[in-house]
Amino acid sequence: LEGMDFNIVIGPESRGFIFGMPIAYNLQKAFVPIRKKGKLPCETASIKYDLEYGSAEIEIHKRSIKPGDKVVIVDDLMATGGTAMIKLIEGLGGEVVEVLCLIELMGLKGREKLKGYKVDSVIQYPGN
């Protein structure tokens, strides 16, 4: 991510916190969490999405993303929540400039769902 133009690292609950916070700290960028519904204390924006085994709802503080913010999403696993996070961020006026994951489960076809976005993963696993 060095040299990339962005000002916010998003880390989804909970392992995204583990990977996103040190990246944000080391690159001197803001860190913003996305959490499961009901866990954030201030006014939030939320979105529901489908999982392989059901559905979920995630939230972000409304004031944490401003129009024009350039955002990198950092998570442990590329699975099904990426498109929901992007919709949430873009709904607040942010621009997602990269989705970065430790592990990509190729069988879930996450890259196809995130077509049009820069996507990187450290490990690509063929299963789902």
Side-chain angles (χ1 to χ4, degrees):
L1 296 174
E2 272 190 75
M4 181 176 277
D5 181 23
F6 70 100
N7 59 312
I8 295 175
V9 173
I10 294 282
E13 187 170 338
S14 65
R15 290 175 296 271
F17 299 176
I18 295 167
F19 295 107
M21 280 189 210
I23 289 172
Y25 178 81
N26 283 316
L27 296 177
Q28 299 179 349
K29 307 293 182 181
F31 178 81
V32 173
I34 289 183
R35 300 211 59 195
K36 295 174 186 167
K37 183 170 178 59
K39 304 249 181 174
L40 293 171
C42 297
E43 188 178 3
T44 61
S46 66
I47 189 168
K48 292 182 184 181
Y49 66 100
D50 292 325
L51 300 161
E52 301 81 39
Y53 49 84
S55 64
E57 188 170 354
I58 54 175
E59 296 180 323
I60 189 170
H61 282 131
K62 281 187 175 180
R63 293 183 295 158
S64 61
I65 304 291
K66 296 171 193 67
D69 281 340
K70 293 184 179 183
V71 175
V72 172
I73 298 172
V74 177
D75 204 0
D76 66 327
L77 182 68
M78 184 187 308
T80 55
T83 55
M85 286 186 279
I86 289 170
K87 287 178 185 175
L88 201 53
I89 293 161
E90 290 177 345
L92 294 172
E95 174 190 353
V96 176
V97 295
E98 179 156 2
V99 178
L100 178 61
C101 299
L102 177 62
I103 300 169
E104 178 178 356
L105 297 177
M106 303 298 286
L108 295 178
K109 300 181 182 353
R111 281 184 189 264
E112 289 176 24
K113 294 174 185 168
L114 300 173
K115 192 174 181 174
Y117 294 93
K118 183 174 180 351
V119 176
D120 283 309
S121 58
V122 178
I123 300 166
Q124 296 179 337
Y125 181 75
N128 56 0

